[in-house]
Amino acid sequence: MNCRHCQTPLRHVFLDLGYAPPSNAYLSEDDLRRPEITYPLKLYVCDHCWLVQTQDVVAADALFTSDYADFSSTSSSWLQHAADYSAMISQRLGLNADSLVIEVAANDGYLLRNFVQAGIPCLGIEPTAATATAAKAQGIPILRQFFGTQLARELAAQGRQADLIIGNNVYAHVPDINDFSAGLKAALKPGGTVTLEFPHLLYLITHNLFDTVYHEHFSYLSLHAVQRILQAQDLRLWDVEQLPTQGGSLRVYAIHADDPRPATAAVADLLATEQTQGLLDLATYQAFQPRADRIKNDLLAYLIEQQRAGRRIAAYGAAAKGNTLINYAGIKPDLLPYVCDAAPAKQGKYLPGSYIPIRPPAALRDEPPDEVLILPWNIAEEVKAQLAELAEGGMRFVTAVPALRVH
Ligand SMILES: [Zn+2]
């Protein structure tokens, strides 16, 4: 297999998590009687351009570009993040009624509605039917297509190049990052700006976040890798911000290579930090697997110890992160009898790979366990606050990443 960006043969494994089903393939009762298909979940690092990437699997585009409608507007902190960004960027770029904003992977319109309210013309691109329909219902123009070079050229030919192109949590999730980046170049007006938000590889490495690895997440990006990928399309970095969202993300600002705006000091600073932290050194990447293994083994030892002591355990949060961790550790219902989740669409189903049943949060009150393993560690404080009254009854909370911790 060759690097998806620079075509260099991939010789170095960054992380091997064995085999796993797609992380969003929740199982019904009927599915339990059928065979389940798993795929290798293995990341390579390119020693030429430093792009960390998933191993190619057969028909990845069809398998892992799920039609699972994940409505972004259900999280209040995420809505606030979107509103703050919209106000900041409109002011910084001087957007007005003559501008055009394009958002790739516009979801249910939770972000673009801020531009609609401000009277700034916009266009969302969203292939998933359910979310695209929800966005249209709010009066947001939506194209139900996948974004890439072809669509971008069509938009340019129609005179619909953008002053601002937004890509939030999509850049790391596209199989062909070169084609996507070429599309950004083609759809961007002269003097326009692209902003991309994606999880930062440096944060993943320093915080042992191996559970953020899943098949649909094709690329694990450092600023160095992104700089190269953009440069190959005649784009360059203008600015970068580090964000606490989603457990350590970057917001990268890109412009045409011939744009007169000079790059901010933040770009050089972060590139230097990445170099100091070893992101241009193969040894850094090769040191990661043992750290993931230690977390997995610590969790297994803990679960076994609790079970031997006769203490009952349940988990909270049936999300992708939890599935990666549970499947890599080989945990089944004998060690973790159930997981609670507030999403009604998941209740009554089973986690892929582990077949652990998903129950409503009320199960924690009806049959209180002694320990609750919170799988989405990034919202652990929020979950603890929701379950505060149970903690008063002696229930303990545990998180496994970035290290095993009993709260
Ligand atoms: Zn490469």
Side-chain angles (χ1 to χ4, degrees):
M1 179 184 162
N2 295 337
C3 172
R4 287 204 184 92
H5 169 57
C6 75
Q7 304 306 318
T8 301
L10 295 173
R11 291 180 294 259
H12 306 286
V13 174
F14 170 62
L15 182 65
D16 186 350
L17 297 176
Y19 285 74
S23 67
N24 273 335
Y26 295 96
L27 305 168
S28 66
E29 197 86 40
D30 277 352
D31 292 331
L32 296 183
R33 294 182 288 118
R34 300 192 181 101
E36 187 184 33
I37 301 175
T38 62
Y39 303 89
L41 187 50
K42 195 173 187 178
L43 301 185
Y44 285 85
V45 58
C46 173
D47 58 7
H48 181 68
C49 74
W50 303 110
L51 177 64
V52 172
Q53 51 203 290
T54 52
Q55 180 180 12
D56 268 340
V57 301
V58 179
D61 304 24
L63 283 169
F64 304 130
T65 310
S66 82
D67 196 42
Y68 204 87
D70 183 17
F71 287 86
S72 295
S73 62
T74 52
S75 158
S76 58
S77 57
W78 191 241
L79 290 183
Q80 190 57 48
H81 174 73
D84 293 347
Y85 163 81
S86 306
M88 178 281 293
I89 198 76
S90 300
Q91 202 253 333
R92 187 170 182 186
L93 302 180
L95 301 176
N96 57 40
D98 298 324
S99 309
L100 176 64
V101 175
I102 291 180
E103 187 188 13
V104 183
N107 203 275
D108 55 9
Y110 73 98
L111 175 60
L112 285 181
R113 67 183 187 186
N114 295 291
F115 293 97
V116 169
Q117 281 161 15
I120 299 166
C122 61
L123 173 65
I125 297 168
E126 175 55 59
T128 306
T131 43
T133 304
K136 275 185 182 162
Q138 297 190 64
I140 297 163
I142 292 284
L143 273 181
R144 259 203 67 200
Q145 292 186 55
F146 283 100
F147 182 80
T149 311
Q150 195 189 335
L151 176 59
R153 287 192 181 139
E154 286 168 23
L155 290 170
Q158 296 161 11
R160 296 164 94 187
Q161 282 182 318
D163 297 275
L164 170 64
I165 303 178
I166 306 166
N168 283 354
N169 295 304
V170 61
Y171 202 49
H173 289 74
V174 291
D176 188 345
I177 199 165
N178 287 343
D179 181 74
F180 186 92
S181 303
L184 296 175
K185 172 76 183 176
L188 189 66
K189 206 181 268 183
T193 304
V194 177
T195 72
L196 302 167
E197 290 181 27
F198 51 82
H200 190 195
L201 177 64
L202 179 62
Y203 197 89
L204 182 154
I205 291 176
T206 54
H207 290 75
N208 301 329
L209 306 186
F210 73 92
D211 62 343
T212 61
V213 172
Y214 49 92
H215 297 105
E216 300 92 322
H217 188 178
F218 289 89
S219 302
Y220 300 79
L221 299 160
S222 63
L223 190 61
H224 274 92
V226 169
Q227 184 180 39
R228 264 181 179 275
I229 294 166
L230 294 173
Q231 269 170 0
Q233 304 301 338
D234 215 20
L235 293 166
R236 66 175 176 84
L237 298 172
W238 172 38
D239 194 9
V240 63
E241 292 167 56
Q242 292 175 269
L243 308 172
T245 46
Q246 309 267 327
S249 291
L250 292 186
R251 178 186 291 149
V252 159
Y253 296 69
I255 53 182
H256 289 292
D258 60 4
D259 191 292
R261 285 173 283 180
T264 66
V267 173
D269 287 351
L270 188 54
L271 288 171
T273 301
E274 286 190 351
Q275 184 159 14
T276 312
Q277 297 279 318
L279 288 197
L280 305 182
D281 181 357
L282 190 59
T284 304
Y285 297 91
Q286 291 175 325
F288 190 68
Q289 178 94 41
R291 288 159 53 197
D293 290 344
R294 191 168 62 238
I295 292 171
K296 172 197 64 134
N297 292 342
D298 285 352
L299 174 62
L300 272 173
Y302 181 79
L303 292 176
I304 292 168
E305 189 187 308
Q306 298 310 308
Q307 194 186 58
R308 285 185 171 155
R311 294 175 63 79
R312 292 157 304 171
I313 307 171
Y316 190 95
K321 277 187 187 69
N323 286 330
T324 295
L325 174 66
I326 285 172
N327 285 325
Y328 181 44
I331 295 166
K332 296 285 190 290
D334 60 316
L335 279 180
L336 198 56
Y338 67 93
V339 55
C340 294
D341 198 282
K346 292 178 184 172
Q347 294 164 6
K349 295 196 169 170
Y350 296 80
L351 298 185
S354 63
Y355 320 120
I356 294 172
I358 306 170
R359 301 174 61 181
L364 294 176
R365 291 188 170 79
D366 300 343
E367 293 171 57
D370 301 299
E371 315 268 333
V372 176
L373 172 65
I374 301 175
L375 294 168
W377 41 261
N378 52 321
I379 56 163
E381 294 308 316
E382 210 174 308
V383 173
K384 278 162 64 184
Q386 282 166 18
L387 303 177
E389 70 177 270
L390 294 172
E392 282 165 22
M395 193 182 287
R396 293 199 304 187
F397 300 110
V398 185
T399 43
V401 180
L404 188 77
R405 179 179 160 212
V406 180
H407 293 252

